[in-house]
Amino acid sequence: MENNGSNEYVRGTLKTIVLNLLAERGRMYGYEITQEVKERTDGSITLTFGALYPVLHKLEQDGLLLTESEAVDGRLRKYYSLTNEGAQTAHTKTHELERFMEAMKMLIKPSKLALE
Amino acid sequence: MKSLNEQRLYELRRYLEKSGVESKLLPELLDHMASEAEELLWEGYAFEQVKQELFQEASPPTLKHLQIEHKHLLVSEASLTDIVFENRNRLYGAYVLRREYPSHVMMATVLGVIVFSMIFVLPALFHYFSV
């Protein structure tokens, strides 16, 4: 998997991405999250193995995620879902990110005009 | 989708174990790699190619980093008391005593300060109201 330029920006928003997906889908396992992100962004954002799991474990420890393991095809699959606190955090974080993106647009726009 | 057979699953497990992934972390990473392998096999890649791809993504340095990060999380969660009692009988009572010791000390300190300051405050109050 190639390391594309957007990864630098993904790092700061990874928590929000994960929380937001879980808020929408209810229950997911790690690989499912990476696939969902890849599909929705047409492959322009790929969550790496090494980046995703520390975030999931941290969120779990902070009491934002619950886990349950299920046996699937001879191996254990660990599902993550939001706690009440996690659902609230997902909500506020998503709003924060939206506001940040708006601000970014305002910041980037002038330079675009200058290019034209 | 065809699921990964036992032998191939075992091969992935061995790889993770050899890279130093411990049992608390291993099942999750194994499931991730196996899911990815199944997807790639489904797309028509040979297992050898799939393995190469997987071992590149889950390279030994990456795994080592994950393992260290996981350990740090666990350590920050476990208090010193938990570490001391890791292999000891917690039900005997000493574990509870130790765990609750800080809050007992806190309570005793607060009560002590209040009682002690009363020695000075009460006569003053008494004097103030009796005049």
Side-chain angles (χ1 to χ4, degrees), chain A residues 9-19 47 51-52 55 59:
Chain A
Y9 307 113
V10 171
R11 220 173 296 143
T13 49
L14 191 48
K15 258 187 195 176
T16 313
I17 293 172
V18 168
L19 289 171
L47 302 186
L52 175 68
V55 167
L59 288 172

Side-chain angles (χ1 to χ4, degrees), chain A residues 15-58:
Chain A
K15 258 187 195 176
T16 313
I17 293 172
V18 168
L19 289 171
N20 193 44
L21 273 181
L22 286 171
E24 197 186 308
R25 297 277 301 267
R27 195 177 91 133
M28 295 176 97
Y29 56 95
Y31 180 70
E32 197 183 1
I33 294 175
T34 60
Q35 286 310 95
E36 187 73 18
V37 168
K38 205 160 128 192
E39 267 169 41
R40 285 198 196 188
T41 61
D42 280 328
S44 62
I45 295 182
T46 49
L47 302 186
T48 58
F49 191 76
L52 175 68
Y53 286 100
V55 167
L56 284 173
H57 298 150
K58 181 81 175 69

